[in-house]
Amino acid sequence: MPAGEAAAAGADAARKVFIKTYGCQMNVYDSQRMNDALAADGYSATETIEDADLVLLNTCHIREKAAEKVYSELGRLNKLKAERAARGREMVVGVTGCVAQAEGREIIRRSAAVDLVVGPQTYHRLPEVVRKARGGHKVVETEYALEDKFEHLPAPRKAEVARRGVTAFLTVQEGCDKFCTFCVVPYTRGSEVSRSVAQIVAEAERLAEAGVREVTLLGQNVNAWHGEGPDGSEWGLGRLLYRLAEIPGLARLRYTTSHPRDMDDELIAAHRDLAVLMPYLHLPVQSGSDRILKAMNRKHTAKDYLRLIDRIRAARPDIAMSGDFIVGFPGETDADFEATLAIIRATNYASAYSFKYSPRPGTPGAEMGGHVEEKVKDERLQRLQALITEQQHVFANGLVGRTMSTLIEKPGREPGQVVGRSPWLQPVIVDEKAGEIGDIVDVRITKTGTNSLFAETV
């Protein structure tokens, strides 16, 4: 290799990438896979943005003013990029994720800092796009790829998987066909696409071989997953979980986020039969009012949801429920909101996420009349969160004195402590003598903290 090419190759090998991740667990997974794709092209990950030659903002479009937050961050990056250029160092800036998909070329028009915009379906093309951007081109890749991006993404390196820890996310499904009127996901992530059983099992096996003990399957509508099995037949999520439970080393399985309409008999049976499937289920309902559920296009009623909860708990009595709630959806009355509080009391959640409705551009909800005043939304949200917090405390206090298995994940903040994860997803703080990171140990809960449990070894 000529000296000039060797020097260039050395420079490429030394390049660093910084990825800032916004939003959901799927974005966390996507950021990891982007790192994997770029690692194959000579980039190493850095936690320090000032050291980066490539900065990517992996964005989320779910929350209010998501795009504005991205543009604000790009303003800061523009200054940093100029400072780097003054010192003779190149910095390439890109926007990926759902804001990238929604805004497209508008991002490049509004921000001089941006060199590339890449949507969620084209991450496998990222190294090629970055090379074009480094050549002085402004690149936008937001068309839905015809090829399967998962077929083209490189496998995670064993050392990198080990660095990330003993728990891991694994995307099995993307996109959504439900078209809830408040949600932008079908427009930014596209229609539902399921990965094949072979792809999922191969990735899960690589994770287990690298020391991962717990895998969470991800999807915008994960229990709608229907992938091609080894024999060419179509599998559902329940059958997939039975197959993943056979992988040596994988001690725990979870999945999120689910839709009530896709909890079928086989999936409920998996909760009954599989000890490795953790007794924790995130099953959003959004509202307890049938009128609001219809306006949201959820296509189920409050009674449908409660009957489903009863069936799941009959199959797995120790299961803990989690949910999502939106307050102040257009047209929501006091009676509608009281119906939401009623479904929360009836379900008795161990945890939940709650939000004020905010119109997402391009969604039917944004065009509806009867938008609720902000002060009314604020008051309702406070009342709802107070009820959820009360239920969370009751659930956590009910664990005091109980013995449970805990997966030790990382060192604690205080010397001599480690932090584990309970079957119900709470952090568990215990003496480091309990075991090594990656061990699953029995501990007895002694007290509760604000968002965690404290335990002693058994």
Side-chain angles (χ1 to χ4, degrees):
M1 179 184 294
E5 290 184 23
D12 284 349
R15 284 194 170 91
K16 296 180 179 180
V17 57
F18 175 91
I19 302 180
K20 182 172 182 176
T21 306
Y22 302 78
C24 66
Q25 293 120 320
M26 187 170 286
N27 266 15
V28 174
Y29 174 86
D30 284 346
S31 291
Q32 291 173 347
R33 298 311 304 273
M34 284 190 279
N35 264 323
D36 295 332
L38 291 165
D41 213 44
Y43 283 84
S44 61
T46 177
E47 301 297 322
T48 307
I49 193 169
E50 290 79 10
D51 292 342
D53 304 283
L54 169 63
V55 176
L56 299 175
L57 304 182
N58 190 13
T59 60
C60 175
H61 208 276
I62 297 295
R63 300 290 165 249
E64 186 178 11
K65 299 180 180 177
E68 285 81 354
K69 293 175 183 176
V70 172
Y71 288 118
S72 176
E73 183 68 24
L74 288 173
R76 290 188 286 271
L77 280 174
N78 197 28
K79 295 177 182 177
L80 179 59
K81 187 174 182 178
E83 292 170 3
R84 287 280 296 265
R87 300 197 304 270
R89 289 192 62 190
E90 176 190 46
M91 175 185 278
V92 174
V93 174
V95 179
T96 68
C98 291
V99 172
Q101 188 69 40
E103 299 278 310
R105 291 194 174 275
E106 178 69 6
I107 297 173
I108 285 179
R109 189 189 71 80
R110 285 183 58 177
S111 176
V114 178
D115 302 293
L116 62 96
V117 178
V118 179
Q121 305 306 320
T122 48
Y123 292 149
H124 56 297
R125 299 177 186 168
L126 189 58
E128 175 190 351
V129 170
V130 171
R131 286 194 292 272
K132 288 180 181 177
R134 282 176 49 201
H137 301 281
K138 298 281 187 177
V139 189
V140 178
E141 280 274 4
T142 54
E143 295 297 321
Y144 289 104
L146 296 176
E147 69 271 30
D148 179 356
K149 73 175 182 182
F150 293 103
E151 288 279 8
H152 294 82
L153 283 168
R157 294 173 300 164
K158 187 172 182 178
E160 184 61 23
V161 172
R163 185 186 69 81
R164 292 170 185 165
V166 296
T167 64
F169 295 127
L170 198 171
T171 292
V172 300
Q173 180 270 344
E174 284 194 279
C176 187
D177 296 340
K178 296 295 187 288
F179 287 93
C180 297
T181 55
F182 55 80
C183 186
V184 75
V185 164
Y187 311 101
T188 57
R189 288 276 182 170
S191 58
E192 290 176 2
V193 176
S194 296
R195 298 178 70 185
S196 70
V197 173
Q199 282 184 347
I200 296 165
V201 170
E203 187 169 339
E205 287 175 340
R206 285 194 296 269
L207 292 171
E209 288 167 3
V212 169
R213 305 301 312 280
E214 177 180 300
V215 166
T216 300
L217 307 182
L218 298 180
Q220 266 86 30
N221 191 15
V222 68
N223 56 345
W225 176 88
H226 284 86
E228 182 183 356
D231 59 355
S233 66
E234 188 176 80
W235 289 26
L237 186 63
R239 189 174 180 186
L240 176 66
L241 288 164
Y242 282 100
R243 172 64 184 89
L244 295 175
E246 298 172 359
I247 295 176
L250 274 191
R252 290 179 162 194
L253 294 170
R254 303 181 190 270
Y255 62 92
T256 196
T257 291
S258 303
H259 195 291
R261 287 165 52 200
D262 293 311
M263 287 293 301
D264 61 21
D265 292 342
E266 190 172 35
L267 183 53
I268 294 173
H271 280 281
R272 179 194 66 208
D273 297 339
L274 298 177
V276 297
L277 182 55
M278 292 294 95
Y280 178 89
L281 177 60
H282 186 65
L283 191 64
V285 65
Q286 308 298 355
S287 174
S289 162
D290 287 347
R291 194 177 69 84
I292 296 300
L293 287 170
K294 185 176 181 180
M296 288 178 167
N297 196 36
R298 295 289 290 175
K299 295 183 179 177
H300 64 78
T301 65
K303 285 186 177 178
D304 293 337
Y305 183 82
L306 292 173
R307 281 195 293 264
L308 178 59
I309 297 294
D310 288 342
R311 290 179 58 209
I312 294 166
R313 283 182 165 150
R316 187 70 184 263
D318 65 337
I319 201 161
M321 300 304 303
S322 172
D324 286 349
F325 294 93
I326 295 172
V327 302
F329 188 78
E332 183 185 70
T333 65
D334 288 343
D336 294 323
F337 176 66
E338 291 297 334
T340 297
L341 296 183
I343 205 170
I344 292 172
R345 293 188 187 100
T347 302
N348 200 13
Y349 290 92
S351 65
Y353 303 93
S354 52
F355 312 94
K356 293 187 296 182
Y357 172 75
S358 61
R360 312 313 303 137
T363 61
E367 306 301 320
M368 291 181 179
H371 283 262
V372 179
E373 293 182 16
E374 284 300 313
K375 65 179 182 180
V376 176
K377 290 183 192 177
D378 289 336
E379 186 272 336
R380 288 176 183 172
L381 184 64
Q382 289 175 20
R383 287 181 60 197
L384 185 146
Q385 288 180 337
L387 177 58
I388 291 291
T389 300
E390 178 186 330
Q391 292 187 349
Q392 288 174 328
H393 289 164
V394 169
F395 179 77
N397 289 332
L399 298 175
V400 175
R402 289 182 56 177
T403 297
M404 67 177 65
S405 65
T406 298
L407 170 62
I408 300 178
E409 289 189 338
K410 58 187 178 181
R413 291 182 180 178
E414 301 295 329
Q417 292 180 340
V418 290
V419 180
R421 184 180 300 198
S422 81
W424 300 282
L425 212 56
Q426 304 116 312
V428 179
I429 299 167
V430 67
D431 190 283
E432 64 182 358
K433 295 177 183 176
E436 302 292 329
I437 290 172
D439 288 345
I440 296 177
V441 299
D442 286 337
V443 300
R444 183 180 296 108
I445 305 303
T446 57
K447 63 178 181 178
T448 65
T450 305
N451 295 300
S452 58
L453 304 172
F454 292 83
E456 61 186 10
T457 55
V458 177

